[in-house]
């Protein structure tokens, strides 16, 4: 929603009385312009470094793709670069990108006013550039390709792991997967599986082309999500600029989501479509949110946010739930309930880089592993609820305007940002690409100190997962030196948990200073006991 501060005043011959003196206005504008120009430069520099690392070819950071077609994407040179060189290039790219996002948010808040079309071109251009080089950091996309290949060969990725197919005979795509995940069956929804199947159908025996189709699906999803968000925020130019810089062209997302070709972006795209439909078509919004959940179940956070915004209208709540249930039940019925069982099996995992992992390592020295995991799971859910309550009281307003009295979209966007941030900083299993849902929603919310904490969170966890692949995998082992393995491991298991904990504490302190209460509702008041009446004697 555009505020008076953000709105551009009409040209007049005389400055209104409420405006600052001319000298102050010029100084203020020049500072915002300087931050904005630096942000654009940092976005470009970050992208150049990511693309350069990809062009250097297979390394400790860049994946090895087999059966290459010389004239088709992705493109790379076979140079066998030094492991420290490419890792430092990505470290610098992430740091520059994170600082660029911080400067961009500050510049837009302070009145930086470039053409929106130029920012859109920046976002689409940098996205396209990263799509033209091989995927990096995580080997997940190779497993996506293997699941698609299994399905194209007539198998079921929910019951058949890549290792099962490898035992039956050589396949050029499945054999290219990395060791740690070869025994894992698919945990993704039917929509993600069908995207993987289509990519395999196009790519055939070529891992290069199959993976590029997966990269392309992620790139398209990020662009569509950003453009739809710009439509949601309406005519406000400052709001459009914020969306363009924090969602469409955010270099942190280009690295964590696009460079690794993670299918979280596809789920988020369907969730944003659901938010667009949410204004006037509640049932169809539920249908689309169910489709998003059939890509990745964690996107259900958006559904919770949408339901909470409808809490005063029971009829709409029922319509939304029916829509979501129809699409999810129908799609999961096609692939079978084993798909849901596979996803549920991952709910007890704890990822390295979280404070939970440190606590698990410490307490399992003298307590049973199962007990510690149960307590940590309860603590994570409690932390999510408490942080969500605190943030909901002080979180800034949505930039999405209300188009009619029954439009609940602004509240849904705001609660999506709240729940997304609370989830990623309290979850036991949290990875860099999970941050996409929080950033996409935060881009459509007014600026606040949460921007800074999110930049710190995503920048740190992104760095912690470089190189991000198992050092014992045959594709990684030839490139990885002992010194880099030790250094990257310490970043992930020691430095990152400390920073993540600091971000959590920082958000709590910020909310409390803003007046948030641990329990914002009035406690039931006890009835006062009647005082005994004194009887006076005559």
């Amino acid at each position: 929603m555009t505020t008076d501060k953000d709105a551009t005043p009409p040209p007049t011959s005389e400055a209104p009385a409420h405006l600052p003196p001319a000298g102050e206005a010029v100084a203020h504008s020049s500072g915002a312009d300087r931050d904005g120009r630096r942000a654009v430069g940092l976005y470009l520099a970050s992208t150049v470094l990511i693309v350069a690392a990809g062009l250097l070819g297979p390394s400790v950071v860049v994946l090895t793709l087999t059966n290459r077609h010389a004239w088709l994407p992705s493109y790379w040179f076979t140079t066998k670069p030094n492991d420290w060189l490419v890792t430092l290039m990505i470290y610098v790219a992430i740091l520059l990108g994170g600082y660029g996002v911080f400067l961009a948010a500050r510049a837009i808040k302070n009145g930086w006013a470039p053409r929106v079309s130029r920012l859109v071109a920046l976002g689409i251009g940098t996205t396209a550039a990263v799509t033209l080089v091989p995927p990096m950091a995580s080997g997940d996309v190779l497993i996506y390709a293997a699941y698609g290949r299994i399905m194209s060969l007539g198998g079921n990725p929910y019951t058949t792991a890549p290792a099962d197919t490898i035992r039956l005979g050589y396949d050029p795509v499945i054999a290219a997967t990395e060791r740690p995940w070869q025994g894992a069956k698919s945990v993704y929804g039917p929509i993600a599986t069908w995207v993987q199947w289509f990519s395999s159908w196009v790519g055939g025996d070529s891992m290069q082309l199959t993976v590029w189709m997966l990269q392309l699906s992620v790139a398209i999803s990020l662009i569509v999500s950003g453009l739809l968000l710009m439509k949601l925020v309406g005519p406000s130019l400052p709001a459009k600029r914020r969306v363009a810089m924090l969602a469409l062209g955010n270099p942190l997302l280009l690295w964590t989501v696009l460079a690794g070709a993670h299918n979280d972006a596809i789920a988020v795209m369907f969730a944003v479509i659901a938010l667009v439909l949410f204004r006037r078509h509640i049932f169809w919004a539920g249908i689309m949110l169910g489709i998003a959940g059939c890509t990745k179940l964690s996107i259900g956070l958006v559904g919770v946010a949408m339901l909470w915004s409808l809490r005063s209208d029971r009829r709409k709540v029922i319509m939304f739930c029916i829509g979501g249930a129809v699409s999810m039940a129908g799609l999961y019925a096609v692939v079978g309930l084993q798909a849901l069982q596979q996803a549920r099996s991952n709910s007890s995992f704890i990822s390295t880089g979280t404070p939970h992992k440190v606590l698990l390592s410490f307490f399992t020295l003298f307590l049973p592993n199962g007990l510690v995991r149960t307590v940590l799971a309860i603590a994570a859910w409690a932390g999510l609820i408490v942080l969500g309550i605190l943030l909901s009281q002080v979180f800034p307003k949505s930039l999405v305007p209300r188009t009619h009295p029954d439009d609940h979209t602004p509240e849904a966007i705001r609660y999506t940002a709240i729940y997304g941030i609370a989830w990623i900083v309290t979850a036991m299993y949290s990875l860099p690409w999970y941050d996409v849902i929080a950033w996409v929603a935060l881009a459509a919310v007014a600026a606040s100190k949460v921007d800074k904490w999110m930049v710190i969170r995503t920048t740190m966890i992104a760095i912690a997962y470089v190189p991000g692949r198992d050092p014992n995998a045959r594709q990684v082992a030839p490139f990885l030196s002992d010194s880099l393995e030790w250094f990257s491991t310490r970043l992930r298991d020691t430095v990152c948990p400390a920073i993540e904990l600091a971000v959590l504490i920082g958000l709590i302190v910020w909310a409390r200073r803003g007046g948030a209460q641990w329990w914002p509702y009035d406690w039931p008041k006890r009835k006062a006991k009647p005082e005994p009446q004194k009887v006076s004697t005559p």
Side-chain angles (χ1 to χ4, degrees), residues 176-480:
T177 55
E178 296 184 353
R179 183 186 304 167
W181 302 108
Q182 287 180 344
K185 300 170 186 176
S186 178
V187 297
Y188 304 105
I191 296 295
T193 299
W194 292 331
V195 170
Q196 293 159 7
W197 166 82
F198 178 76
S199 299
S200 178
W201 178 75
V202 174
D205 291 340
S206 172
M207 177 64 93
Q208 174 212 12
L209 188 54
T210 302
V211 164
W212 188 71
M213 291 301 299
L214 292 167
Q215 288 179 275
L216 188 61
S217 68
V218 173
I220 292 172
S221 299
L222 287 174
I223 292 172
V224 170
S225 296
L227 294 178
L228 287 177
L229 272 180
M230 295 181 73
K231 175 182 174 62
L232 270 178
V233 297
S236 169
L237 293 181
K240 288 180 179 293
R241 294 183 187 110
R242 180 173 168 87
V243 170
M245 295 300 278
L246 268 64
L248 183 59
N250 188 331
L252 293 176
L253 297 184
L254 293 184
W255 169 254
T256 57
V257 183
L258 179 57
H262 293 284
N263 55 27
D264 300 68
I266 303 173
V268 168
M269 178 189 69
F270 287 121
V272 173
I273 295 174
L275 287 166
V276 172
L277 294 172
F278 197 58
R279 276 185 161 150
R280 296 188 181 276
H281 308 285
I282 299 295
F283 175 78
W284 289 105
I287 290 280
M288 193 57 64
L289 200 279
I291 293 175
C294 287
T295 306
K296 200 164 185 181
L297 282 175
S298 57
I299 207 68
L301 277 171
V302 183
V304 174
M306 295 166 83
L307 280 173
W308 186 250
S309 68
L310 292 173
R311 62 191 182 278
S312 61
D313 192 327
R314 184 179 300 176
R315 184 182 66 85
K316 288 185 176 181
V317 167
I318 294 173
M319 288 177 59
F320 182 79
C321 290
I322 291 174
V326 166
S327 57
M328 289 199 73
L331 291 172
Y332 269 104
V334 175
V335 297
L337 291 179
Q338 64 268 19
L340 279 172
Q341 293 169 355
Q342 283 297 119
R344 191 179 60 209
S345 66
N346 280 5
S347 59
S348 61
F349 290 175
I350 300 179
S351 60
T352 306
T354 62
H356 308 78
K357 188 69 171 182
V358 178
L359 294 173
L360 177 69
S361 301
F362 174 74
F363 284 109
T364 49
L365 294 175
F366 45 86
L367 290 174
N369 184 284
L371 174 62
V372 177
R373 286 179 178 271
T374 301
V375 172
L376 288 176
I378 295 172
W381 280 107
L384 169 61
I385 294 170
V386 170
L387 185 58
I389 290 173
L390 291 174
L391 291 179
S392 65
Q393 299 172 68
V394 296
F395 211 73
K397 292 183 178 180
S398 170
L399 296 174
V400 177
R402 191 184 303 276
T403 58
H404 56 88
D406 292 331
D407 183 8
H408 298 278
T409 311
E411 293 94 334
I413 285 278
R414 181 175 179 269
Y415 283 119
T416 296
I418 291 170
Y419 299 157
I421 293 169
W423 171 58
I424 62 175
V425 300
T426 60
M428 295 196 303
Y429 198 80
S430 186
L431 297 169
W433 43 95
Y434 291 6
D435 290 21
V436 61
I437 181 58
W439 274 112
V440 166
L442 188 63
V445 174
S448 69
K449 287 188 176 180
V450 176
D451 297 345
K452 177 188 71 174
W453 290 115
M454 275 298 298
V455 166
I456 294 172
R457 142 77 193 193
T458 307
T459 300
M460 183 64 247
I461 198 168
I463 288 175
Y465 276 83
V466 178
R469 296 151 70 195
D470 193 291
N472 297 316
R474 64 182 183 277
Q475 297 93 331
V476 181
F479 300 102
L480 185 63

Side-chain angles (χ1 to χ4, degrees), residues 42-57:
L42 292 171
Y43 276 41
L44 292 173
S46 176
T47 303
V48 167
L49 286 170
I50 293 172
V51 172
L55 288 174
L56 290 176

